[in-house]
Amino acid sequence: MSAPELSIVIPVYNEELNLPLLFSRLYPVLDGLGRGYEVLFTNDGSVDASINLLKAQYDLRPDVTRIIDFNANYGQHMAIMAAFERVRGQIIVTLDADLQNPPEEIPKLLLLIDAGHDYVGGYRLNRQDSFFRTYASRVINGVRRATTAIEMTDQGCMLRAYRRPIIDAIVRSGANNTFIPALAYSFSARPTEVGVRHEERNAGVSNYSLYKLIRLNFDLITGFSLVPLQLFTMIAMACAGCSFLLVIILALRRLIIGPEEGGTFTLFGILFFLISVTMVGIGLIGEYVGRTYQVVRTRQRYFVREVVERAE
Ligand code: UDP
Ligand code: MG
């Protein structure tokens, strides 16, 4: 078997209800491309029958199917990372397993890769998600635009295509908590975007709780920018300046008008405000220290229980 041209990367977490339809829609599209391809599924510690379905699909199409089986749940981005470390193709496409990104849109991305782009990001046309998710995305997109140099219409869309050098750079970076599309963007030379259809989740529920979403967006902001930290320093400096002014005014007042008696509560107010600013700062610093710690300890990011594939 010669190396395929195209590698499709799909993270799978409890998708037993979606996999049969995914297989029946994805493989015909890929067969129709006329390019050598492989599909890498990472089973991210599913607790349902996903792994059995994946293995059945491997038995059907062992020539183009590969499975990486995690021992536990490490999250979507680590699942993609594990596949990136093993891809054999020169063009890599990432896709969700829940059919929210229609496999029929893959050729669109490939056209732009063929046109010479090394990064093609999808953005969702007529997004089919809850009002809350759509609105939260808009807010976080704005924050990202203001704090990082990453240009992205729709950071939540996982239907994206990359050329191999970008994937190699991601693998070499050994990033821990990361947002793969953003990391890839920072390595790209000729990025572009294209609108892709978006469908409602075929079956099952989103694997992202509010908590996971907040964590993911924290990864995005703190992983790519120091602006939160710098902003805090600015605020702290402004606070220090104001406090200093206040002390001067109070001192002058004491000398000119005399002692102030009723000012105790003003003092408390100011004190509480300053303490709260300090607490936010400590939290932020903790965020970066934690991140440094994770990189420094060089612990294995995930554990692969089994890889089901044919030898190269
Ligand atoms: N996923 C994963 N590990 C996780 C959570 C999700 O591999 O811990 C996969 C999931 O199977 C799907 C993709 O990541 O293929 C996107 O997940 P989901 O549809 O839950 O996210 P949403 O579309 O709600 O953002
Ligand atoms: Mg989804």
Side-chain angles (χ1 to χ4, degrees):
M1 189 171 87
S2 61
E5 183 186 350
L6 184 64
S7 296
I8 310 289
V9 169
I10 307 180
V12 176
Y13 180 57
N14 295 342
E15 302 281 6
E16 61 179 358
L17 297 172
N18 297 317
L19 286 176
L21 189 61
L22 175 70
F23 297 150
S24 70
R25 281 176 59 183
L26 177 68
Y27 282 76
V29 171
L30 298 176
D31 287 328
L33 288 174
R35 305 177 192 233
Y37 72 88
E38 61 174 3
V39 188
L40 276 99
F41 295 98
T42 305
N43 177 39
D44 187 16
S46 301
V47 291
D48 64 359
S50 293
I51 187 65
N52 302 333
L53 293 170
L54 290 174
K55 284 183 173 167
Q57 180 64 17
Y58 174 79
D59 290 336
L60 272 180
R61 299 292 303 271
D63 51 330
V64 290
T65 308
R66 298 166 69 190
I67 306 166
I68 300 160
D69 189 18
F70 279 179
N71 70 319
N73 180 247
Y74 295 94
Q76 181 184 3
H77 292 252
M78 278 306 113
I80 295 174
M81 202 61 112
F84 279 0
E85 287 178 358
R86 291 173 174 77
V87 289
R88 294 170 182 162
Q90 291 305 313
I91 303 170
I92 291 89
V93 175
T94 56
L95 193 72
D96 282 351
D98 59 1
L99 289 161
Q100 289 198 281
N101 313 134
E104 293 78 14
E105 299 286 82
I106 293 175
K108 244 192 211 176
L109 304 180
L110 297 181
L111 272 181
L112 285 161
I113 289 280
D114 290 341
H117 294 284
D118 56 355
Y119 172 106
V120 184
Y123 57 88
R124 295 166 285 191
L125 303 168
N126 61 38
R127 180 162 176 195
Q128 303 293 320
D129 266 323
S130 68
F131 170 78
F132 169 72
R133 280 291 292 269
T134 316
Y135 186 76
S137 286
R138 203 168 314 152
V139 171
I140 201 72
N141 259 313
V143 173
R144 189 212 64 239
R145 208 169 305 131
T147 56
T148 71
I150 293 157
E151 284 297 326
M152 209 176 278
T153 311
D154 182 4
Q155 63 193 27
C157 182
M158 273 297 153
L159 183 53
R160 291 169 191 273
Y162 314 97
R163 278 187 182 279
R164 182 64 177 269
I166 292 188
I167 301 306
D168 290 341
I170 291 178
V171 170
R172 271 196 309 274
S173 80
N176 242 303
N177 293 306
T178 197
F179 202 84
I180 284 175
L183 190 58
Y185 182 89
S186 67
F187 292 140
S188 68
R190 283 197 64 197
T192 187
E193 294 196 305
V194 63
V196 290
R197 267 189 303 125
H198 190 234
E199 291 173 9
E200 242 169 278
R201 193 171 229 287
N202 174 54
V205 290
S206 170
N207 296 307
Y208 276 102
S209 59
L210 182 61
Y211 173 75
K212 269 180 150 185
L213 270 183
I214 292 172
R215 286 300 329 160
L216 186 67
N217 284 301
F218 240 107
D219 286 346
L220 177 62
I221 305 298
T222 55
F224 290 91
S225 120
L226 291 177
V227 171
L229 205 56
Q230 290 157 347
L231 202 65
F232 174 71
T233 317
M234 292 298 174
I235 294 172
M237 269 157 53
C239 285
C242 291
S243 310
F244 183 66
L245 258 179
L246 197 69
V247 171
I248 302 261
I249 292 169
L250 288 178
L252 287 177
R253 196 196 132 95
R254 173 73 176 77
L255 289 176
I256 299 164
I257 305 175
E260 176 203 28
E261 279 176 66
T264 327
F265 292 105
T266 318
L267 187 64
F268 267 106
I270 295 166
L271 216 64
F272 285 160
F273 173 69
L274 289 180
I275 289 172
S276 66
V277 172
T278 315
M279 278 163 60
V280 174
I282 292 172
L284 260 175
I285 292 168
E287 189 70 31
Y288 287 100
V289 171
R291 210 160 285 279
T292 314
Y293 167 63
Q294 276 174 330
V295 176
V296 166
R297 70 181 170 179
T298 59
R299 183 178 295 169
Q300 203 162 318
R301 291 173 295 172
Y302 48 77
F303 185 79
V304 175
R305 180 159 49 187
E306 185 186 9
V307 179
V308 185
E309 66 184 9
R310 268 195 187 171
E312 200 161 359

